[in-house]
Amino acid sequence: MAADFDYLPLSPATLHILLSLAGEDLHGYGIMQEIARHSDGKYKVGPGTLYDNLQKLMDREWVEELGCRKSDDDPRRRYYRLTAAGRGVLAAETARLAGVVREARSRLQMAKPRRA
Amino acid sequence: MLRHFYRCALRLHPPEFRRRFSAEMLLIYDHSTGRFSSLRLILDAFVSLARQGILRPEFWLRTSPASAPRAFDGIPSFSSLDPFRPHTSAMIHGTVVSIALFCVTCFAIRYSWIHVLQIHIPEVQFESPRWVPSSPGTGASAHQLSVSPIRMQPPLASTSFGSPLSQKQLPAATATEAARRTGTPSGKGAFKSNKSVETTPTLATLPNPVTGTEEHLAFTQAPLSALERRRVIGEAITHLRRYYIYPAAARRMAESLRKHEQNGDDDSASAGSAFASLLTTQLRAVSHDRHLGISYSQSAIPEGATGPTPEAIMHYRQEMERTNCGFEKVVLLSHYIGYVKLNSFPDLQLCRSTVEAAMTSLNQADAIIFDLRDNHGGSPEMVAFVASYLFDHPTHLEDFYNRSENTTLPSWTLSPIEGNQLANKPAFVLTSAETFSGGEEFAYDLKMLKRATVVGETTAGAAHMVRQRRIDAHFRLRVPDTRPINPVSKTNWEGTGVTPDVRVNAAQALATAEWLAEKLPNK
């Protein structure tokens, strides 16, 4: 099995799913809503993409399934949680992206026209 | 409607994916609002399906524990695509509809006049005329079921493709029959040989033309011991060596039976019917003789019994009345072409008047077609009688040679038939691969005499005539002891079948014959 960091960089869908689960445990529909919220509605995933990715993430043990909650009104809802491994991968991806952003900013500043 | 469509799309996903996520995906669908949103989700489901099919082939190989059939202590169980169990009412409705559909299908196959499907559905009836419940002190229950084929061969015929009968058992036997038995010639075309009446019991449970075995369903069958099996094989070999039409083939069959016995091939067949069926298979593997076979009867066969029981005769009469003596259709087609669909050659004494009425009704025909595509044989006397309508003088059809008695019985037509106008009319005989025994004789005789054009398929290739020999109280051997020798070809159609003059598929035979009849120059 490949090491977790071999999967970097993450696909946008994977990144957003991990990101949405970083704050709290969510069910599938909650993940979709959270992704729409933290991307300001600019990125949306459909159920097909979501659950295909969730299956992949559970196989990699980055996400675990918690089952349904007794307090929840619909027993069909299953909740998902980010595992420690998943959190580590998300942190690594965030650091990678931060480096990318940093590099991008520096290069953009260098390219900016300066007054003499 | 759209929700149902969405569910269908989800059901096409891999089992493991479906088990894990389909309920949740359906929940998300339920939360969606607006038709556009629903359509977007359906599209998403199909994209997901494509993704699973193309990019995730490994997921299809995973078995879902929920959908995998599980057996509890050997009891098979069902599984459903949905995660929930169907309602009890749905199960009951499903059962009722399934049973009704099954019954309607069987009924349609059994009674449809278009025999598209050549499926044999046996009639189940009580061998005894009434249900006899078991009573204290009588031991086992007296009731049993017998299964008889739809197409029957006449139990009343003696030297026949059917079975012999004692005169005592059939008061209605005519002078012709009596004369044939005592060797006294009775008019032109009568059998002339002094043939002894060595009879064995004949029941209404008749040989299956395909398997050659009498089929009996009994509630219990005592298992056979190795000693009993050996005794049955020994008796069968004795009969074969004494009576079978070809001594060399009889020797080979005897060796084969002994070899199978020594190899332990018969050990698994402990039930009588299974043992009889196995021996029949072994015999036919050597001889390829479809008339040959061993049958098992649950009820005891009396020693020295002669002829069928009165119940069997009564049953046969009823069956002949029900089936109109095998005449399924007699009609004058367009262009004055007479058409006779005859599915058997029944006992002459019983059905003579029916034949006369049928043939007389076609006197105005300019040509006649005999449809024997579903004919499984019967009495050679009836074959000769029906053929009599095609000749204006007594005509020699066949010689029947009996090996054990070293006698030859000639078969002649009873022509001329008074009032018959078909003697010189063109004739056609339709055949199929199912045309068997006596049906083949009719086609072969007329072909050899160049009296009819045979149209259709090559026939089954069963020429011999059989006699039933009692092996013991439950087993009987149907052993062919007589073979026809055609006066023209000096041989017969055993193994080869009757080759048609015009070869077409059986389904097209009638249309072809009609076309040929319409094109005749004298029409």
Side-chain angles (χ1 to χ4, degrees), chain A residues 26-29 32 44-56 58-59 65 73-74 76-80, chain B residues 3 6 16-17 19-21 23-32 40-41 44-45 47-48 51-52 56 59 62:
Chain A
L26 292 171
H27 52 70
Y29 189 54
M32 288 170 61
K44 288 180 180 176
V45 291
T49 308
L50 170 67
Y51 288 109
D52 176 60
N53 277 279
L54 274 177
Q55 179 164 267
K56 203 166 58 183
M58 284 191 285
D59 286 349
E65 184 183 319
D73 55 344
D74 197 321
R76 288 178 292 177
R77 278 181 176 161
R78 292 164 185 268
Y79 282 77
Y80 301 92
Chain B
R3 187 179 190 275
Y6 188 69
E16 174 69 10
F17 184 93
R19 184 189 67 80
R20 268 182 157 173
F21 305 121
E24 275 188 281
M25 291 175 79
L26 205 56
L27 178 68
I28 292 171
Y29 181 91
D30 292 340
H31 280 295
S32 67
R40 195 170 53 81
L41 286 173
D44 174 78
V47 171
S48 168
R51 187 189 297 120
Q52 296 292 325
R56 316 275 185 262
F59 291 165
R62 296 184 187 177

Side-chain angles (χ1 to χ4, degrees), chain A:
Chain A
M1 188 173 176
D4 289 343
F5 297 105
D6 292 346
Y7 293 107
L8 300 182
L10 300 176
S11 68
T14 305
L15 175 63
H16 282 285
I17 291 169
L18 293 178
L19 201 55
S20 63
L21 289 172
E24 59 179 329
D25 303 338
L26 292 171
H27 52 70
Y29 189 54
I31 294 172
M32 288 170 61
Q33 288 178 315
E34 176 60 22
I35 290 173
R37 191 193 61 76
H38 71 232
S39 66
D40 295 329
K42 291 175 183 168
Y43 187 79
K44 288 180 180 176
V45 291
T49 308
L50 170 67
Y51 288 109
D52 176 60
N53 277 279
L54 274 177
Q55 179 164 267
K56 203 166 58 183
L57 296 178
M58 284 191 285
D59 286 349
R60 293 177 189 170
E61 297 180 346
W62 295 354
V63 171
E64 62 182 344
E65 184 183 319
L66 301 177
C68 58
R69 286 181 181 171
K70 287 181 182 176
S71 59
D72 209 286
D73 55 344
D74 197 321
R76 288 178 292 177
R77 278 181 176 161
R78 292 164 185 268
Y79 282 77
Y80 301 92
R81 172 180 290 171
L82 197 62
T83 63
R87 198 172 289 277
V89 169
L90 180 61
E93 177 69 358
T94 307
R96 187 188 70 80
L97 286 174
V100 171
V101 170
R102 195 168 49 244
E103 182 67 20
R105 277 181 178 158
S106 68
R107 293 196 180 199
L108 285 171
Q109 282 176 358
M110 284 170 62
K112 198 179 284 183
R114 296 180 183 182
R115 293 171 192 270

Side-chain angles (χ1 to χ4, degrees), chain B residues 198-325:
Chain B
E198 183 172 355
T199 57
T200 52
T202 307
L203 297 175
T205 48
L206 291 161
N208 184 317
V210 177
T211 64
T213 57
E214 293 176 12
E215 300 169 21
H216 286 262
L217 286 182
F219 293 122
T220 58
Q221 282 188 17
L224 290 171
S225 66
L227 194 64
E228 287 172 307
R229 286 200 298 268
R230 175 168 294 180
R231 188 170 47 74
V232 170
I233 290 171
E235 283 294 314
I237 287 174
T238 303
H239 284 310
L240 284 171
R241 284 187 166 149
R242 187 178 299 167
Y243 299 113
Y244 188 64
I245 187 69
Y246 298 112
R251 278 196 297 276
R252 288 202 305 276
M253 285 190 282
E255 289 167 7
S256 173
L257 288 180
R258 287 295 185 208
K259 194 173 178 182
H260 281 297
E261 185 196 6
Q262 287 164 5
N263 291 345
D265 298 339
D266 305 336
D267 294 349
S268 59
S270 58
S273 54
F275 183 53
S277 178
L278 180 64
L279 292 183
T280 300
T281 305
Q282 293 172 359
L283 290 173
R284 291 186 187 178
V286 177
S287 67
H288 307 290
D289 189 332
R290 292 173 64 178
H291 278 107
L292 181 61
I294 291 179
S295 60
Y296 175 81
S297 170
Q298 176 73 10
S299 57
I301 306 163
E303 196 167 359
T306 55
T309 62
E311 288 84 7
I313 295 172
M314 178 68 74
H315 176 74
Y316 181 73
R317 285 182 188 281
Q318 290 172 349
E319 189 62 20
M320 287 302 102
E321 286 176 15
R322 189 182 72 78
T323 60
N324 196 30
C325 284

